[in-house]
Structure formats: C-alpha cells, structure tokens
Amino acid sequence: IVEAQGLYKIFHLGKTQVEALVDITFHVEKGEFLALVGPSGSGKSTLLNLIGCIEPPTRGTIHLDGIDITNLDDNSLSTIRAERIGFVFQNFNLLPVLTAYENIEYPLHIRGMPKREREERVKALLDAVGLARFANHRPAELSGGQRQRVAIARALAGSPSIVLADEPTANLDHATGREVLKLMKGLNRTYGTTFIFSTHDPQIMSFADRVVELRDGRIAS
Amino acid sequence: IVEAQGLYKIFHLGKTQVEALVDITFHVEKGEFLALVGPSGSGKSTLLNLIGCIEPPTRGTIHLDGIDITNLDDNSLSTIRAERIGFVFQNFNLLPVLTAYENIEYPLHIRGMPKREREERVKALLDAVGLARFANHRPAELSGGQRQRVAIARALAGSPSIVLADEPTANLDHATGREVLKLMKGLNRTYGTTFIFSTHDPQIMSFADRVVELRDGRIAS
Ligand SMILES: Nc1ncnc2c1ncn2[C@@H]1O[C@H](COP(=O)(O)OP(=O)(O)OP(=O)(O)O)[C@@H](O)[C@H]1O
Ligand SMILES: Nc1ncnc2c1ncn2[C@@H]1O[C@H](COP(=O)(O)OP(=O)(O)OP(=O)(O)O)[C@@H](O)[C@H]1O
Ligand SMILES: [Mg+2]
Ligand SMILES: [Mg+2]
C-alpha cells in the first residue's frame, strides 16, 4: 500500500540544508501494523508527512495505494488524503472552536454521512477512547492526553484504508496508551486497516507486526 | 517553597462542572526534585498551572516562595512568574517567529542581561540539550522532540528558583529523555533549583526524590 523508492527530503534553511530523509526505500503491505522508531530528529514525522501527502519529496518516488503521489498537485493530494488517509499529528491539531464531538464528526460530515449514522459512529468512537463524558469540551478544556485521544478518534472516524499516527500515545499514561493500541490493532485485524505509527515507547512498539528504525534520516534496520 | 492547602479547581462548562482538583494539600521543600504522576485527565497540568500562577484556584490557598498567590492580580502574578518560575508547557509554546536561539535568549533579554553574557548562556544551554546545530531553526523547522528541548532550555535560561515542567520528555526518545533529566537533576543538586515535573514514564519517575500521585483530581499517595 506504500511504496517509497530512494526518497529524499531536504529542507533549506538560509545557506544550510537539513537532510531530513536520505535514500529511503520502504514498502508497507496492505493490512500491516507497523511501528516507526528512532531518536528525536531522525525523520519519523517527515516520513509520515511524505506518505500522508502533506509534503512532497525532494527526490525519489512514492506510491500510495498504487497511485504515484510524487508529483501530484495540491488539489489531488488533498483529495487522496481526505478519502484514504486518517492522520494523527504530533501536536494533535484539532479545530479549537469545535467540541470533541464535532472534531470527530467533521470528516464524516464532509463525506456526506447521514446525521443519525454520524451520531452513532461518533458516540462509538468517543466510548472507544474513553471520552464519552467529554463530548462537548473544546480542546482548550481538555487535558493533553484527552486531546490526543480525540485526534485518534477523528483519524479513525472515516474508516480510512491507512492510518498514519505520529506518536499517538506520547501524552498518555501507560494504561490508556495500551487501550488505544488495542483499539487500533483491533481495527487492523478486523477491517484490514493499515497502520503506521511512530513511537518512542518500547511497550507500544511491542504491539507492532514489524518495526522500522530510522537514524539520521536513513533506515537503520 | 510551595504550600497548597485545600486547593480546588473547578471548571464550568455550560451547566456541568469539572472538578479538576479536589482538596489538594501539598508541600514542596526548597530544592526538591519531585515527580507528579497520574492517569490522563487526573489534574497534573492543572496543578502545575496553579503553582505556576497561570490559573487562580477556585477554593483553598496557595503560597509560592512564602508569597500568598491565591488572590493576586494578573500583573503581580506575571511579575512573580517572570522572576521566579521557569515553565515548560505540555505543548512547549515557543514563539513561532523566533529561532531556537532567540526563544531561549528571550527571558534573558527581558531581564536586561548584557549581550555577551546572554550569548554565552544560550550557547551553553543549546549544547546541554544537544541542539547546538539547530540554533537558527524556527519551531516549524524542528522536530517535536527538538521543540520540547528548546522549551526546556528556555525554562532554565533565567536560573529560576523553581522549574515546573509538564511532561518534559513526552516527545523524546529514551536516551534523550535521560539526558534532559540528568541536566535538570544536575542543576537541582548544584544550585538547589526546585523541580516539579509531571510524567507518564516510569524511567523518568525514577530520577525523582519523591513521587506525588494524582487520581481524579485528588492526591492518591
Ligand atoms: N478549561 C477547562 N474547562 C473544563 N475542563 C477542563 C479544562 N481544563 C482541564 N479540564 C479538565 O480537567 C481535568 C484535568 O485536566 P489536566 O489537564 O490537569 O489533566 P492531566 O493530568 O494533565 O492529563 P494528561 O496526562 O492527559 O495531560 C480533565 O478531565 C480535563 O478535561
Ligand atoms: N521545515 C523544516 N526546515 C528545516 N529542517 C526541518 C524542517 N522540518 C524538520 N526539519 C529537521 O528534519 C529533521 C527530522 O525531523 P522530524 O520531525 O522528521 O524528526 P522526528 O524523528 O519526528 O523527531 P521527534 O522524535 O523529535 O519528533 C530534524 O533534524 C529537524 O530539525
Ligand atoms: Mg516527530
Ligand atoms: Mg497534562
């Protein structure tokens, strides 16, 4: 479902350049539950952003679901994202004016899901992440870990074929983090949703079928 | 250095109320290295915000460095914060238009530290958190863990008497997290700086002299 060949991502900063990803060749099978690990600054978020059509590569090619996304224009990229990818950002990135409920409902609303079906789905997701009682809190009225869980529920809402989650449990206590991973793995086993998540936590890594390690922008394993 | 008696923090949300902190009585000695732990939503960030003069309590009293901060006006509170407290927020909260260097320099600039002395101090701090080469990156040009480390360096810059750090290692790999804790503990042992940090990581907890546990807004241990 993901095919990356010789990917490079180079950021330019004044006269210097940062080689965030170097010669990444990387394959993910449909239905895999994959952990991306590596030290701070090793390129995990950058790789997830490239797979998630958020940033274009500097060199190399990348295919998602059989589509060559390397040189697509912004409109096509955002369509692909909206239809196929669920994304959890490292800083959660919820809409501050919407409640937890509305943030999770938003992707379903965009897809034209009927109201009663949306309501059922959002409530099921709030339950699954343990936030039923916090449905009408806005992000500023939630703890860090609660916001992270809303972001996860939102990424899962539209039943995307691939979920990219950037450190989805960084702000969660261990028990809640395990609950989230079980939820994600359950969806993977039941519906075949592909998951790629980055983490620094060995306990969370242990849920993965496969672990890919990055170091200084290269694949280390 | 911190004296909390019968502290309550109640948030009102429409008709419902959230009891984020309930009857907290809590003492921290000068020079302690204390970890605050507990499940997601248990009140850690709220307690740190109260100690850090960011939010007023709903009931109860709180003294910081011998000063009763319970009912102070906003101006007095922000003066106390600027002079005595170094704060690392759960979402880092760096100034996006400033570079890493300038973000760390900012509190020293405000205090009127002379330029050459500032330069020495900022460089030493960038080194200490492993970001010497990233001095002129802006937050958007840094990884999540790198931003967190800039926030830590900034909190330590003005040599405050108390540092409050909300999950300072949540976005760091274990090796980098340990480096940060050793830096913090070194300052604590050398200069007597009081540290109160929240964490979900047992490895990070183990650096603390004392661990205070919150559960549902109450002290559990
Ligand atoms: N402005 C607010 N309005 C309403 N409720 C709030 C507000 N801020 C926090 N809360 C609630 O208060 C409780 C405690 O929040 P707090 O952020 O202190 O938790 P925490 O222990 O830091 O959790 P985490 O580990 O997830 O960061 C949570 O249930 C949260 O939903
Ligand atoms: N817009 C940018 N401009 C310049 N450099 C950047 C930019 N974005 C990221 N970088 C650099 O690219 C490298 C990889 O960043 P990335 O965010 O992918 O790391 P990461 O593995 O997610 O780290 P962490 O675990 O700390 O989140 C870092 O050294 C970072 O400073
Ligand atoms: Mg990252
Ligand atoms: Mg918190």
Side-chain angles (χ1 to χ4, degrees):
Chain A
I1 194 166
V2 178
E3 280 273 337
Q5 297 278 353
L7 270 192
Y8 284 74
K9 182 65 182 179
I10 300 175
F11 292 108
H12 296 281
L13 209 56
K15 296 219 187 83
T16 56
Q17 65 183 28
V18 179
E19 295 193 314
L21 294 174
V22 178
D23 201 16
I24 300 287
T25 293
F26 176 69
H27 305 273
V28 183
E29 298 293 320
K30 219 169 167 55
E32 269 202 270
F33 199 76
L34 194 149
L36 193 56
V37 306
S40 176
S42 56
K44 303 177 295 297
S45 298
T46 304
L47 181 55
L48 287 171
N49 288 347
L50 258 53
I51 297 168
C53 309
I54 288 167
E55 291 247 21
T58 309
R59 274 177 63 184
T61 60
I62 178 161
H63 289 73
L64 181 70
D65 244 351
I67 305 166
D68 186 339
I69 63 170
T70 315
N71 296 309
L72 284 185
D73 57 283
D74 282 350
N75 275 333
S76 318
L77 285 178
S78 53
T79 306
I80 288 175
R81 274 203 308 271
E83 293 179 356
R84 296 159 193 264
I85 307 174
F87 212 117
V88 184
F89 289 87
Q90 196 163 358
N91 283 345
F92 327 139
N93 112 356
L94 302 174
L95 295 167
V97 297
L98 300 185
T99 63
Y101 184 101
E102 292 162 345
N103 262 289
I104 298 167
E105 183 189 35
Y106 189 69
L108 305 177
H109 207 117
I110 296 189
R111 284 166 191 234
M113 185 182 276
K115 186 159 165 66
R116 189 146 98 246
E117 202 177 324
R118 283 198 321 255
E119 200 167 318
E120 256 173 56
R121 182 131 185 91
V122 176
K123 286 184 175 172
L125 286 160
L126 278 165
D127 263 335
V129 297
L131 291 176
R133 293 185 299 122
F134 294 89
N136 47 4
H137 287 235
R138 292 189 171 73
E141 299 157 343
L142 291 170
S143 77
Q146 290 167 341
R147 284 176 217 167
Q148 193 161 38
R149 283 182 271 161
V150 174
I152 290 161
R154 179 184 66 170
L156 303 175
S159 309
S161 50
I162 179 166
V163 174
L164 306 176
D166 202 349
E167 294 188 36
T169 62
N171 283 281
L172 300 176
D173 59 87
H174 278 221
T176 312
R178 290 179 70 79
E179 287 312 303
V180 162
L181 260 296
K182 286 186 202 155
L183 166 69
M184 287 170 34
K185 198 155 185 179
L187 292 169
N188 169 261
R189 295 311 196 231
T190 310
Y191 300 105
T193 315
T194 308
F195 279 84
I196 306 174
F197 57 96
S198 63
T199 184
H200 286 303
D201 189 331
Q203 243 195 52
I204 300 300
M205 269 176 233
S206 66
F207 279 80
D209 300 327
R210 177 163 66 114
V211 178
V212 171
E213 198 182 331
L214 286 181
R215 199 170 301 158
D216 298 321
R218 295 167 195 271
I219 296 196
S221 68
Chain B
I1 195 165
V2 178
E3 279 274 338
Q5 297 279 354
L7 270 193
Y8 284 74
K9 182 64 180 176
I10 300 176
F11 292 107
H12 295 281
L13 210 54
K15 295 216 189 85
T16 56
Q17 65 182 29
V18 179
E19 295 192 315
L21 295 175
V22 178
D23 201 16
I24 300 288
T25 293
F26 177 68
H27 305 272
V28 183
E29 298 294 320
K30 218 168 168 54
E32 268 201 272
F33 199 76
L34 193 148
L36 192 57
V37 307
S40 176
S42 55
K44 303 177 297 298
S45 299
T46 304
L47 182 54
L48 288 171
N49 289 348
L50 257 53
I51 297 169
C53 309
I54 289 168
E55 290 248 23
T58 310
R59 278 178 60 186
T61 60
I62 178 161
H63 290 74
L64 181 69
D65 245 350
I67 304 166
D68 186 340
I69 62 170
T70 314
N71 296 308
L72 285 186
D73 58 282
D74 283 350
N75 276 334
S76 317
L77 285 177
S78 52
T79 307
I80 288 176
R81 276 203 309 271
E83 293 180 357
R84 295 159 194 264
I85 306 174
F87 212 117
V88 184
F89 289 87
Q90 195 162 2
N91 283 345
F92 327 139
N93 113 356
L94 302 173
L95 295 169
V97 298
L98 299 186
T99 63
Y101 183 101
E102 292 162 344
N103 262 288
I104 298 168
E105 183 190 35
Y106 189 70
L108 305 176
H109 207 119
I110 296 191
R111 284 165 192 235
M113 184 182 278
K115 186 161 164 66
R116 188 146 99 246
E117 200 176 327
R118 282 197 323 253
E119 200 167 317
E120 256 174 54
R121 181 129 185 92
V122 176
K123 285 186 176 171
L125 286 160
L126 278 165
D127 263 336
V129 296
L131 291 176
R133 294 184 299 122
F134 295 90
N136 47 4
H137 287 234
R138 293 191 169 72
E141 299 156 344
L142 291 170
S143 77
Q146 290 167 340
R147 285 176 216 165
Q148 194 161 36
R149 283 181 270 161
V150 174
I152 289 161
R154 180 184 64 171
L156 302 176
S159 309
S161 51
I162 179 165
V163 174
L164 306 175
D166 202 348
E167 295 191 33
T169 62
N171 282 282
L172 301 177
D173 59 271
H174 277 220
T176 312
R178 290 179 68 81
E179 288 310 303
V180 162
L181 260 296
K182 286 187 202 151
L183 166 69
M184 288 170 33
K185 197 155 185 180
L187 293 169
N188 169 261
R189 296 310 197 230
T190 311
Y191 301 104
T193 314
T194 308
F195 280 84
I196 306 174
F197 57 96
S198 63
T199 184
H200 286 302
D201 189 329
Q203 242 194 51
I204 300 299
M205 270 177 233
S206 66
F207 279 80
D209 300 327
R210 177 163 66 113
V211 177
V212 171
E213 197 181 332
L214 286 181
R215 198 170 300 159
D216 298 322
R218 295 167 194 271
I219 295 196
S221 65

